[in-house]
Amino acid sequence: MTDTGRTAVVTGAGRGLGRAICLRLASQGTGIVALARTEAEVLETAELAAAEGVGAVGLVVDVTSSEQVDRARAEVQARFGHVDIVVNNAGVLLYKPFVPLPGLTGHPGFDEPVSDEEWAGVLDVHLTGAVRVLRAFGPGMIERRYGRVVNVVSNVVRRTVPFTSAYDTAKGGLVQLTRSLAREWGRYGVTVNAVAAGHFPTEMSRAQFENEESVRRMLRRVPAGRAGEAGELASLVAYLSGEEAGFVTGETVAIDGGETL
């Protein structure tokens, strides 16, 4: 491992893809600031990252709270001095119809559509949460004329999925934010990219992977014939976060086994 002298902030880092991203970056010598809502999980991620020989800290942060994000920024500045990489990975998934759908059967709990509060909550985590984090740490990268931003989205931005309209809309907005900031920040040496994840077994997708018929339907759509592994996505994020990707910006890179071909 080579000490890169870089520091990365990763949201949704308590488990799953976020933890895998932290550990891959740490294995390459990048200091880790893991942010998540569950204390035990985020502290474990930080401990695992520190075992790679880098500075690592886990902070309990809900990205829907500007106060908590700002507090994290102050703690990171005191501990590391600066941030070079931001990975927006925090997310939630909600399965509900957009409006009431008569005769809909076989979907327990679908008798009620997405409420205003639920819609706002999903967008607040995925989209506005990323905005808060980038407003906190983006100015420092711009000032130092170096930075890498990777937004973890979903391949739903290239296809359609029923009953996930809030999630899909939030991810689509995050893709457009990626493009907009890539245009604004490129002159300052800051790249902004997104990775469009396909099917990965995580806590958020547990229900899907526990249903054999659901898994069969899913794999029929994937030319690779399998789900992804967390380490594969983490490797892509690490590449986009590194020196060699300095001429890649504004892109949404699919990692979905060919599902959206």
Side-chain angles (χ1 to χ4, degrees):
M1 181 192 71
T2 302
D3 186 353
T4 64
R6 306 293 189 192
T7 301
V9 169
V10 182
T11 71
R15 58 193 181 190
L17 298 179
R19 175 173 289 182
I21 291 166
C22 287
L23 299 186
R24 181 56 55 88
L25 292 174
S27 73
Q28 297 178 351
T30 300
I32 297 298
V33 179
L35 308 183
R37 292 182 297 181
T38 304
E39 183 175 23
E41 293 178 347
V42 76
L43 292 180
E44 183 178 3
T45 295
E47 182 179 355
L48 292 169
E52 297 288 345
V54 299
V57 61
L59 301 177
V60 178
V61 173
D62 184 338
V63 296
T64 67
S65 167
S66 296
E67 180 181 354
Q68 291 185 30
V69 172
D70 289 342
R71 186 171 66 245
R73 175 181 56 190
E75 292 188 38
V76 171
Q77 288 175 339
R79 175 74 178 267
F80 293 94
H82 66 278
V83 167
D84 309 281
I85 300 163
V86 171
V87 181
N88 284 304
N89 173 68
V92 294
L93 183 59
L94 177 69
Y95 281 101
K96 275 194 173 183
F98 184 69
V99 297
L101 297 175
L104 187 66
T105 60
H107 297 278
F110 277 20
D111 51 332
E112 293 291 334
V114 178
S115 68
D116 290 349
E117 292 75 17
E118 289 171 328
W119 180 275
V122 172
L123 266 67
D124 202 14
V125 174
H126 289 276
L127 182 54
T128 311
V131 168
R132 292 185 183 95
V133 172
L134 291 172
R135 282 179 170 169
F137 297 104
M141 294 190 288
I142 290 170
E143 181 180 356
R144 291 188 304 279
R145 299 297 197 272
Y146 180 90
R148 300 285 186 266
V149 176
V150 182
N151 297 316
V152 179
V153 296
S154 165
N155 71 356
V156 297
V157 302
R158 298 181 176 180
R159 62 189 183 97
T160 57
V161 178
F163 314 126
T164 59
S165 56
Y167 175 87
D168 299 356
T169 300
K171 290 302 193 185
L174 191 50
V175 166
Q176 191 55 44
L177 179 65
T178 297
R179 290 164 53 86
S180 296
L181 294 186
R183 173 71 73 173
E184 289 187 25
W185 294 1
R187 72 189 65 186
Y188 304 104
V190 180
T191 66
V192 187
N193 292 288
V195 295
H199 300 285
F200 290 80
T202 65
E203 186 67 25
M204 193 168 71
S205 62
R206 174 187 291 182
Q208 180 184 34
F209 279 91
E210 289 180 343
N211 185 305
E212 292 184 6
E213 178 56 30
S214 176
V215 171
R216 281 194 293 269
R217 288 198 304 268
M218 172 188 73
L219 295 184
R220 282 199 296 266
R221 300 193 303 266
V222 180
R226 65 174 178 86
E229 298 178 2
E232 293 174 313
L233 185 138
S235 293
L236 176 58
V237 172
Y239 167 71
L240 293 172
S241 301
E243 302 291 339
E244 294 180 347
F247 203 51
V248 181
T249 195
E251 294 297 321
T252 298
V253 184
I255 177 166
D256 64 3
E259 184 178 18
T260 49
L261 289 174

Coordinates of all heavy atoms in Angstrom, one line a residue, residues 130-190:
A130 N -26.9 14.6 -1.0 CA -25.7 14.8 -1.7 C -25.4 16.2 -1.9 O -24.2 16.6 -1.8 CB -25.8 14.1 -3.1
V131 N -26.4 17.1 -2.1 CA -26.2 18.5 -2.2 C -25.5 19.0 -0.9 O -24.6 19.8 -1.0 CB -27.5 19.2 -2.5 CG1 -27.3 20.7 -2.4 CG2 -28.0 18.9 -3.9
R132 N -26.1 18.6 0.2 CA -25.5 19.1 1.5 C -24.0 18.7 1.6 O -23.2 19.5 2.0 CB -26.3 18.5 2.6 CG -27.7 19.1 2.8 CD -28.4 18.5 4.0 NE -29.8 19.0 4.1 CZ -30.8 18.3 3.7 NH1 -30.6 17.1 3.2 NH2 -32.0 18.8 3.8
V133 N -23.7 17.5 1.3 CA -22.4 17.0 1.4 C -21.4 17.7 0.5 O -20.3 18.1 0.9 CB -22.3 15.5 1.2 CG1 -20.9 15.0 1.2 CG2 -23.1 14.7 2.3
L134 N -21.9 18.0 -0.7 CA -21.0 18.6 -1.7 C -20.8 20.1 -1.4 O -19.8 20.7 -1.6 CB -21.6 18.5 -3.1 CG -21.5 17.0 -3.6 CD1 -22.3 16.9 -4.9 CD2 -20.1 16.6 -3.8
R135 N -21.9 20.7 -0.8 CA -21.7 22.1 -0.4 C -20.7 22.2 0.8 O -20.1 23.2 1.0 CB -23.1 22.7 0.0 CG -23.9 23.1 -1.2 CD -25.3 23.6 -0.8 NE -26.0 24.2 -1.9 CZ -27.2 24.6 -1.9 NH1 -27.9 24.4 -0.7 NH2 -27.8 25.2 -2.9
A136 N -20.7 21.2 1.6 CA -19.8 21.2 2.7 C -18.3 21.0 2.3 O -17.4 21.6 2.8 CB -20.2 20.1 3.7
F137 N -18.1 20.0 1.4 CA -16.7 19.7 1.1 C -16.2 20.1 -0.3 O -15.0 20.1 -0.6 CB -16.6 18.1 1.2 CG -16.8 17.6 2.6 CD1 -18.0 17.0 2.9 CD2 -15.9 17.8 3.6 CE1 -18.2 16.5 4.2 CE2 -16.1 17.4 4.9 CZ -17.3 16.7 5.2
G138 N -17.1 20.5 -1.2 CA -16.8 21.0 -2.5 C -15.9 22.2 -2.5 O -14.9 22.3 -3.2
P139 N -16.2 23.2 -1.7 CA -15.4 24.5 -1.7 C -13.9 24.2 -1.4 O -13.1 24.9 -2.0 CB -16.1 25.4 -0.7 CG -17.5 24.9 -0.7 CD -17.5 23.4 -0.9
G140 N -13.7 23.3 -0.5 CA -12.3 23.0 -0.2 C -11.5 22.4 -1.4 O -10.3 22.8 -1.6
M141 N -12.2 21.5 -2.1 CA -11.5 20.9 -3.3 C -11.3 22.0 -4.3 O -10.3 22.0 -5.0 CB -12.4 19.8 -3.8 CG -12.5 18.6 -2.8 SD -13.3 17.1 -3.6 CE -15.0 17.7 -3.6
I142 N -12.3 22.9 -4.5 CA -12.1 23.9 -5.5 C -11.0 24.8 -5.1 O -10.2 25.2 -6.0 CB -13.5 24.7 -5.6 CG1 -14.5 23.8 -6.3 CG2 -13.3 26.0 -6.4 CD1 -15.9 24.4 -6.2
E143 N -10.9 25.2 -3.9 CA -9.8 26.1 -3.4 C -8.4 25.4 -3.7 O -7.5 26.1 -4.0 CB -10.0 26.4 -1.9 CG -8.9 27.3 -1.4 CD -9.1 27.6 0.1 OE1 -10.2 27.1 0.7 OE2 -8.3 28.3 0.7
R144 N -8.3 24.1 -3.5 CA -7.0 23.5 -3.6 C -6.8 23.0 -5.1 O -5.7 22.5 -5.4 CB -6.9 22.2 -2.7 CG -6.8 22.6 -1.3 CD -6.6 21.3 -0.4 NE -7.6 20.3 -0.7 CZ -8.8 20.3 -0.1 NH1 -9.1 21.3 0.7 NH2 -9.7 19.3 -0.3
R145 N -7.8 23.3 -5.9 CA -7.7 22.9 -7.4 C -7.4 21.4 -7.6 O -6.8 21.0 -8.5 CB -6.5 23.7 -8.1 CG -6.7 25.2 -8.0 CD -8.0 25.6 -8.8 NE -8.0 27.0 -9.2 CZ -8.5 28.0 -8.4 NH1 -9.0 27.7 -7.2 NH2 -8.5 29.2 -8.8
Y146 N -8.1 20.6 -6.7 CA -8.1 19.2 -6.9 C -9.2 18.5 -6.2 O -9.5 18.9 -5.0 CB -6.8 18.5 -6.4 CG -6.7 17.0 -6.6 CD1 -6.2 16.5 -7.7 CD2 -7.3 16.2 -5.6 CE1 -6.2 15.1 -7.9 CE2 -7.3 14.8 -5.8 CZ -6.8 14.3 -7.0 OH -6.8 12.9 -7.2
G147 N -9.9 17.6 -6.8 CA -10.9 16.8 -6.2 C -11.5 15.8 -7.1 O -11.5 15.9 -8.3
R148 N -12.2 14.8 -6.4 CA -12.9 13.7 -7.1 C -14.2 13.6 -6.4 O -14.3 13.4 -5.2 CB -12.1 12.4 -7.1 CG -10.7 12.5 -7.7 CD -10.8 12.5 -9.2 NE -9.5 12.4 -9.9 CZ -8.8 13.5 -10.3 NH1 -9.3 14.7 -10.1 NH2 -7.7 13.3 -10.9
V149 N -15.3 13.6 -7.2 CA -16.6 13.3 -6.7 C -17.2 12.1 -7.4 O -17.1 12.1 -8.7 CB -17.6 14.5 -6.8 CG1 -19.0 14.2 -6.4 CG2 -17.0 15.7 -6.0
V150 N -17.7 11.2 -6.7 CA -18.4 10.0 -7.3 C -19.7 9.9 -6.7 O -19.8 9.7 -5.4 CB -17.6 8.7 -7.2 CG1 -18.3 7.6 -7.9 CG2 -16.1 8.9 -7.8
N151 N -20.8 9.9 -7.5 CA -22.1 9.8 -7.0 C -22.6 8.4 -7.4 O -22.6 8.0 -8.5 CB -23.1 10.8 -7.6 CG -22.6 12.2 -7.1 OD1 -22.3 12.5 -6.0 ND2 -22.6 13.2 -8.1
V152 N -23.0 7.6 -6.4 CA -23.5 6.3 -6.6 C -25.0 6.4 -7.0 O -25.8 6.7 -6.1 CB -23.3 5.3 -5.4 CG1 -23.9 3.9 -5.7 CG2 -21.8 5.2 -5.1
V153 N -25.4 6.1 -8.2 CA -26.8 6.1 -8.6 C -27.2 4.7 -8.9 O -26.8 3.8 -8.3 CB -27.0 7.1 -9.8 CG1 -26.6 8.5 -9.3 CG2 -26.2 6.7 -11.0
S154 N -28.1 4.5 -9.9 CA -28.6 3.2 -10.2 C -28.9 3.2 -11.7 O -29.1 4.2 -12.3 CB -29.9 3.0 -9.4 OG -30.7 1.9 -10.0
N155 N -28.9 1.9 -12.2 CA -29.1 1.8 -13.7 C -30.6 2.1 -14.0 O -31.0 2.0 -15.2 CB -28.6 0.5 -14.2 CG -29.5 -0.7 -13.8 OD1 -30.4 -0.6 -13.0 ND2 -29.1 -1.9 -14.3
V156 N -31.4 2.4 -13.0 CA -32.8 2.8 -13.3 C -32.8 4.1 -14.0 O -33.8 4.5 -14.6 CB -33.6 2.9 -12.0 CG1 -33.8 1.6 -11.3 CG2 -33.1 4.0 -11.1
V157 N -31.7 4.9 -14.1 CA -31.6 6.1 -14.8 C -31.6 5.8 -16.3 O -31.8 6.7 -17.2 CB -30.4 7.0 -14.4 CG1 -30.5 7.3 -13.0 CG2 -29.1 6.3 -14.8
R158 N -31.4 4.5 -16.7 CA -31.4 4.1 -18.1 C -32.5 3.1 -18.4 O -32.5 2.6 -19.5 CB -30.0 3.5 -18.4 CG -28.9 4.5 -18.3 CD -27.6 3.9 -18.6 NE -26.5 4.9 -18.5 CZ -25.2 4.6 -18.8 NH1 -24.8 3.4 -19.2 NH2 -24.3 5.5 -18.7
R159 N -33.4 2.8 -17.5 CA -34.5 1.9 -17.8 C -35.6 2.3 -16.8 O -35.5 3.3 -16.2 CB -34.0 0.4 -17.5 CG -33.6 0.1 -16.1 CD -33.0 -1.2 -15.9 NE -32.7 -1.6 -14.5 CZ -33.5 -2.3 -13.7 NH1 -34.6 -2.7 -14.2 NH2 -33.1 -2.5 -12.5
T160 N -36.7 1.5 -16.9 CA -37.8 1.9 -16.0 C -38.1 0.7 -15.1 O -38.0 -0.5 -15.4 CB -39.1 2.2 -16.8 OG1 -39.4 1.1 -17.7 CG2 -38.9 3.4 -17.7
V161 N -38.5 1.1 -13.9 CA -38.9 0.1 -12.9 C -40.2 0.5 -12.3 O -40.4 1.7 -11.8 CB -37.8 0.0 -11.8 CG1 -38.3 -1.0 -10.7 CG2 -36.5 -0.4 -12.4
P162 N -41.2 -0.4 -12.2 CA -42.5 0.0 -11.6 C -42.4 0.2 -10.1 O -41.7 -0.5 -9.4 CB -43.5 -1.1 -12.0 CG -42.6 -2.3 -12.1 CD -41.3 -1.8 -12.7
F163 N -43.2 1.1 -9.6 CA -43.4 1.3 -8.1 C -42.2 1.9 -7.4 O -42.1 1.8 -6.2 CB -43.8 0.0 -7.4 CG -44.9 -0.7 -8.2 CD1 -44.7 -2.1 -8.6 CD2 -46.1 -0.1 -8.6 CE1 -45.7 -2.7 -9.3 CE2 -47.1 -0.7 -9.3 CZ -46.9 -2.1 -9.6
T164 N -41.2 2.5 -8.1 CA -40.1 3.1 -7.4 C -39.9 4.5 -8.0 O -38.8 5.0 -8.2 CB -38.8 2.3 -7.7 OG1 -38.5 2.1 -9.1 CG2 -38.9 0.9 -7.0
S165 N -41.0 5.2 -8.2 CA -40.9 6.5 -8.9 C -40.1 7.5 -8.1 O -39.3 8.3 -8.7 CB -42.3 7.1 -9.1 OG -43.0 7.2 -7.9
A166 N -40.2 7.5 -6.8 CA -39.5 8.5 -5.9 C -38.0 8.2 -6.0 O -37.1 9.1 -6.2 CB -39.9 8.5 -4.5
Y167 N -37.6 6.9 -5.9 CA -36.2 6.5 -6.0 C -35.6 6.9 -7.3 O -34.5 7.4 -7.5 CB -36.1 5.0 -5.7 CG -34.8 4.4 -5.8 CD1 -33.9 4.4 -4.8 CD2 -34.4 3.8 -7.0 CE1 -32.6 3.8 -4.9 CE2 -33.1 3.2 -7.1 CZ -32.3 3.2 -6.1 OH -31.0 2.6 -6.2
D168 N -36.4 6.5 -8.4 CA -35.9 6.7 -9.8 C -35.7 8.2 -10.0 O -34.7 8.6 -10.7 CB -36.9 6.1 -10.8 CG -37.1 4.7 -10.6 OD1 -36.4 4.0 -9.8 OD2 -37.9 4.1 -11.3
T169 N -36.6 9.0 -9.6 CA -36.6 10.5 -9.8 C -35.3 11.1 -9.1 O -34.6 11.9 -9.6 CB -37.8 11.2 -9.3 OG1 -38.9 10.6 -10.1 CG2 -37.8 12.7 -9.5
A170 N -35.1 10.6 -7.8 CA -34.0 11.1 -7.1 C -32.7 10.7 -7.8 O -31.7 11.6 -7.9 CB -34.0 10.5 -5.7
K171 N -32.6 9.5 -8.2 CA -31.3 9.1 -8.9 C -31.1 9.8 -10.2 O -30.0 10.2 -10.6 CB -31.4 7.6 -9.2 CG -31.2 6.7 -7.9 CD -30.0 7.0 -7.1 CE -29.7 6.0 -6.1 NZ -28.6 6.3 -5.2
G172 N -32.2 10.1 -11.0 CA -32.1 10.9 -12.2 C -31.7 12.3 -11.9 O -30.8 12.8 -12.6
G173 N -32.2 12.9 -10.8 CA -31.7 14.2 -10.4 C -30.2 14.2 -10.1 O -29.5 15.2 -10.4
L174 N -29.8 13.2 -9.4 CA -28.4 13.1 -9.0 C -27.5 13.0 -10.3 O -26.4 13.5 -10.3 CB -28.2 11.9 -8.1 CG -26.8 11.9 -7.4 CD1 -26.5 13.2 -6.7 CD2 -26.8 10.7 -6.3
V175 N -27.9 12.3 -11.3 CA -27.2 12.2 -12.6 C -27.1 13.6 -13.2 O -26.0 14.0 -13.6 CB -27.9 11.2 -13.5 CG1 -27.3 11.4 -15.0 CG2 -27.7 9.8 -13.1
Q176 N -28.1 14.4 -13.2 CA -28.1 15.7 -13.8 C -27.2 16.6 -12.9 O -26.5 17.5 -13.5 CB -29.5 16.3 -14.0 CG -29.5 17.6 -14.8 CD -28.9 17.4 -16.2 OE1 -29.1 16.3 -16.8 NE2 -28.0 18.3 -16.6
L177 N -27.3 16.5 -11.6 CA -26.4 17.2 -10.8 C -24.9 16.9 -11.1 O -24.0 17.8 -11.1 CB -26.7 17.0 -9.3 CG -25.8 17.7 -8.3 CD1 -26.0 19.2 -8.3 CD2 -26.1 17.2 -6.9
T178 N -24.6 15.6 -11.3 CA -23.3 15.2 -11.7 C -22.8 16.0 -12.9 O -21.7 16.5 -12.9 CB -23.3 13.7 -11.9 OG1 -23.6 13.0 -10.7 CG2 -21.9 13.2 -12.4
R179 N -23.6 16.0 -13.9 CA -23.3 16.7 -15.2 C -23.1 18.2 -15.0 O -22.1 18.8 -15.5 CB -24.3 16.4 -16.2 CG -24.4 15.0 -16.7 CD -25.6 14.6 -17.5 NE -25.9 15.6 -18.5 CZ -25.4 15.5 -19.8 NH1 -24.6 14.5 -20.1 NH2 -25.7 16.4 -20.7
S180 N -24.0 18.8 -14.2 CA -23.9 20.2 -14.0 C -22.7 20.6 -13.2 O -22.0 21.6 -13.6 CB -25.2 20.7 -13.2 OG -26.3 20.5 -14.0
L181 N -22.3 19.9 -12.2 CA -21.2 20.2 -11.4 C -19.9 19.9 -12.1 O -18.8 20.6 -12.0 CB -21.2 19.5 -10.0 CG -22.3 19.9 -9.1 CD1 -22.2 19.3 -7.7 CD2 -22.4 21.5 -9.0
A182 N -19.9 18.9 -13.0 CA -18.7 18.6 -13.8 C -18.4 19.8 -14.7 O -17.2 20.1 -14.9 CB -18.9 17.3 -14.6
R183 N -19.4 20.4 -15.2 CA -19.2 21.6 -16.1 C -18.7 22.7 -15.2 O -17.8 23.4 -15.7 CB -20.6 21.9 -16.7 CG -20.6 23.2 -17.5 CD -19.8 23.1 -18.8 NE -20.5 22.3 -19.8 CZ -20.0 22.2 -21.0 NH1 -18.9 22.8 -21.4 NH2 -20.7 21.5 -21.9
E184 N -19.3 22.9 -14.1 CA -18.9 24.1 -13.2 C -17.5 23.9 -12.6 O -16.8 24.9 -12.5 CB -19.9 24.3 -12.1 CG -21.3 24.8 -12.6 CD -22.2 25.2 -11.4 OE1 -21.7 25.5 -10.3 OE2 -23.4 25.2 -11.7
W185 N -17.2 22.7 -12.2 CA -16.0 22.5 -11.4 C -14.8 22.1 -12.1 O -13.7 22.0 -11.6 CB -16.3 21.5 -10.2 CG -17.3 22.1 -9.2 CD1 -17.9 23.3 -9.3 CD2 -17.8 21.4 -8.1 NE1 -18.8 23.4 -8.2 CE2 -18.7 22.2 -7.4 CE3 -17.5 20.1 -7.5 CZ2 -19.4 21.9 -6.3 CZ3 -18.1 19.8 -6.3 CH2 -19.1 20.7 -5.7
G186 N -14.9 21.7 -13.4 CA -13.8 21.2 -14.2 C -12.6 22.1 -14.2 O -11.5 21.6 -14.2
R187 N -12.8 23.3 -14.4 CA -11.7 24.3 -14.5 C -10.9 24.4 -13.2 O -9.8 24.9 -13.2 CB -12.3 25.7 -14.8 CG -13.0 26.4 -13.7 CD -13.7 27.6 -14.1 NE -14.8 27.3 -15.0 CZ -15.5 28.3 -15.7 NH1 -15.2 29.5 -15.5 NH2 -16.5 27.9 -16.5
Y188 N -11.4 23.8 -12.1 CA -10.7 23.8 -10.9 C -10.0 22.5 -10.5 O -9.6 22.3 -9.4 CB -11.6 24.3 -9.7 CG -12.3 25.6 -10.0 CD1 -13.6 25.6 -10.4 CD2 -11.6 26.8 -9.8 CE1 -14.3 26.8 -10.6 CE2 -12.2 28.0 -10.1 CZ -13.6 28.0 -10.5 OH -14.2 29.2 -10.7
G189 N -10.0 21.6 -11.5 CA -9.3 20.3 -11.3 C -10.2 19.3 -10.5 O -9.6 18.4 -10.0
V190 N -11.5 19.6 -10.5 CA -12.4 18.7 -9.7 C -13.2 17.9 -10.8 O -13.9 18.5 -11.6 CB -13.3 19.5 -8.8 CG1 -14.3 18.5 -8.0 CG2 -12.5 20.3 -7.8

